[in-house]
């Protein structure tokens, strides 16, 4: 078979490990050949692709970013399934492997419904895709955030300051929850749970009263009780969605005023998406790549590979894209016992 592979949407540590896993297994076990499609769906509709051999993917599992690069282009703005089919036919391409998050997998589902042979691989540092226990990239983002919070804590302690750390998490607070728990934060704030400024202030003051430098971890999509809108001061992204960010700065100002504790805020931003993947993400991404090739070889179109416990299985794309995997209330409450 001839298989095109693309990475689309925001990048994520482990993308290269998926590409390597797919090409290695496809070449060794099935004798498939691959095309690397540049910049996600953009490369497909612009016919910007190149052969991808075993040689091209050597040593890739530890490399951050994506050798194929990425974009947030939707093929439906550029000729849709007709154009995709035309380019695939021109190269004799039998199938596509699309590596991406919710937006990419929704596009993959729509293309499948219009007759394109496609298999998805779930990717996002946010870990917000249902139908898979974990997405690769999440573990790396949590490790980076945890290490950063540990560092911010020691400088906070030296100065008797309160440190507010803003992490990524547009709709879900998985990174905030896990990095906050791992680093022993005194307050964790996630988009799924609204908390009042009074309650947050209480936790901060109680940590200070015990002689600690209070650490507050806030996901970019968090809104305090009474606030309808998320903080988004950076304009729109390529999908026309508001670019989130700024809640950390806002929270730091407000907390300083309420507590009289000198407060600093740090936005971890894209640091959480850059650099080498953790061992966990390298393994998961490699297994996803190999499983995607099995799924293509079985011609199980319109599916996505997913982690279920310790096994990888194929699930329908609509199952993965129908709802976001949010932090359940009981997971937040379990963490909140440790606040203050
Ligand atoms: O979807 C992943 C994510 O990292 C979000 O948490 C964040 O809001 C967004 O991407 C930022 O993406 P960019 O700045 O690359 O458009």
């Amino acid at each position: 078979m001839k298989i095109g592979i693309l990475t689309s949407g925001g990048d994520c540590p482990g993308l290269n490990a998926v590409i390597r896993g797919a090409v290695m297994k496809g070449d060794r076990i099935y004798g498939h050949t691959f095309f690397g499609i540049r910049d996600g769906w953009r490369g497909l509709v612009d016919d910007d692709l190149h052969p991808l051999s075993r040689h091209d993917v050597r040593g890739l599992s530890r490399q951050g970013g994506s050798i194929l690069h990425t974009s947030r282009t939707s093929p439906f703005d550029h000729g849709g399934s007709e154009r995709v089919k035309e380019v695939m036919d021109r190269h004799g391409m039998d199938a596509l492997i699309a590596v991406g998050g919710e937006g990419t997998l929704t596009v993959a589902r729509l293309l499948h419904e219009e007759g394109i042979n496609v298999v998805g691989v779930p990717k996002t540092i946010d870990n917000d895709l249902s139908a898979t226990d974990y997405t690769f990239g999440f573990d790396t983002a949590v490790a980076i955030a945890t290490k950063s919070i540990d560092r911010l804590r020691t400088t906070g302690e030296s100065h008797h300051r309160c440190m507010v750390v803003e992490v990524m998490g547009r709709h879900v607070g998985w990174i905030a929850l896990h990095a906050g728990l791992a680093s022993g934060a005194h307050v964790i704030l996630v988009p799924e749970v609204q908390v009042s400024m009074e309650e947050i202030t209480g936790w901060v003051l109680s940590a200070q009263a015990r002689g600690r430098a209070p650490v507050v971890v806030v996901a970019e999509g968090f809104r305090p009780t009474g606030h309808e809108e998320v903080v988004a001061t950076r304009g729109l992204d390529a999908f026309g969605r508001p670019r989130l960010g700024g809640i950390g700065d806002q929270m730091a100002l407000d907390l300083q005023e309420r507590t009289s504790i000198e407060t600093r805020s740090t936005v971890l931003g894209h640091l959480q998406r850059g650099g080498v993947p953790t061992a966990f993400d390298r393994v998961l991404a490699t297994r996803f790549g190999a499983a995607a090739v099995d799924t293509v070889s079985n011609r199980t179109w319109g599916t996505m590979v997913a982690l279920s416990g310790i096994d990888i299985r194929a699930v329908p794309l609509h199952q993965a894209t129908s709802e976001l995997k949010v932090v359940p209330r009981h997971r937040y409450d379990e963490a909140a016992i440790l606040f203050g």
Side-chain angles (χ1 to χ4, degrees):
M1 276 176 147
K2 288 186 180 177
I3 304 169
I5 182 161
L6 61 84
T7 57
S8 170
D11 77 340
C12 178
L15 286 169
N16 286 325
V18 174
I19 298 167
R20 173 174 168 274
V23 173
M24 294 285 282
K25 183 153 193 190
D27 175 278
R28 281 197 179 169
I29 304 299
Y30 299 104
H32 296 326
T33 53
F34 289 84
F35 293 100
I37 301 166
R38 290 192 191 87
D39 298 338
W41 301 110
R42 202 277 309 151
L44 192 56
V45 292
D46 285 350
D47 198 354
D48 186 3
L49 40 94
H50 55 87
L52 198 60
S53 69
R54 252 173 81 173
H55 174 80
D56 298 319
V57 301
R58 267 194 322 206
L60 268 193
S61 61
R62 57 187 173 274
Q63 197 171 305
S66 167
I67 56 158
L68 299 176
H69 306 278
T70 182
S71 73
R72 288 198 157 111
T73 305
S74 165
F76 290 101
D77 296 333
H78 302 272
S81 58
E82 286 299 306
R83 175 64 186 155
V84 167
K85 205 164 172 357
E86 187 184 317
V87 176
M88 287 178 73
D89 286 348
R90 182 176 304 158
H91 295 277
M93 213 186 280
D94 303 288
L96 285 175
I97 294 177
V99 191
E102 192 211 350
T104 307
L105 297 173
T106 300
V107 165
R109 175 174 61 78
L110 295 172
L111 288 175
H112 162 67
E113 285 165 8
E114 295 185 19
I116 307 289
N117 297 340
V118 59
V119 164
V121 176
K123 163 246 63 156
T124 160
I125 64 162
D126 293 352
N127 196 38
D128 60 0
L129 287 170
S130 31
T132 183
D133 288 354
Y134 285 100
T135 50
F136 67 87
F138 171 65
D139 186 65
T140 306
V142 169
I144 293 168
T146 303
K147 229 184 265 177
S148 308
I149 299 165
D150 288 348
R151 286 174 183 273
L152 290 166
R153 181 194 288 278
T154 66
T155 164
E157 279 167 352
S158 306
H159 290 266
H160 310 286
R161 284 175 175 156
C162 169
M163 305 302 277
V164 176
V165 191
E166 181 183 305
V167 298
M168 280 187 173
R170 168 169 279 278
H171 303 294
V172 304
W174 288 109
I175 297 177
L177 182 77
H178 280 224
L181 260 179
S183 60
H186 302 103
V187 183
I188 300 171
L189 302 167
V190 299
E192 294 88 336
V193 182
Q194 285 203 295
V195 180
S196 70
M197 281 311 298
E198 288 70 30
E199 202 167 358
I200 299 168
T201 305
W203 285 322
V204 166
L205 288 172
S206 122
Q208 188 209 32
R210 288 184 294 108
R212 311 299 304 279
V215 173
V216 178
V217 177
V218 57
E220 61 185 356
F222 171 74
R223 290 167 299 135
T225 309
H227 291 243
E228 290 305 314
E229 300 293 326
V230 284
V231 183
T233 50
R234 300 171 182 155
L236 303 179
D237 71 12
F239 285 155
R241 302 175 309 186
R243 289 186 57 213
L244 303 193
I247 181 72
D249 286 344
Q250 213 177 77
M251 176 93 28
L253 281 175
D254 200 348
L255 282 175
Q256 179 160 301
E257 210 170 280
R258 287 169 184 263
T259 62
S260 303
I261 306 170
E262 196 182 1
T263 304
R264 295 285 189 268
S265 89
T266 303
V267 181
L268 296 185
H270 294 85
L271 281 174
Q272 296 159 94
R273 288 208 325 229
V276 298
T278 57
F280 179 90
D281 279 339
R282 293 181 202 188
V283 172
L284 180 59
T286 304
R287 294 182 71 203
F288 272 170
V293 161
D294 292 334
T295 310
V296 165
S297 307
N298 295 336
R299 310 184 80 82
T300 316
W301 311 126
T303 57
M304 171 192 99
V305 293
L307 180 69
S308 172
I310 55 170
D311 298 321
I312 312 276
R313 58 195 177 96
V315 296
L317 275 169
H318 65 79
Q319 199 176 320
T321 51
S322 52
E323 56 178 322
L324 283 179
K325 186 174 69 192
V326 297
V327 172
R329 184 67 207 219
H330 71 91
R331 284 294 313 273
Y332 187 75
D333 291 343
E334 171 186 279
I337 291 167
L338 308 172
F339 293 178

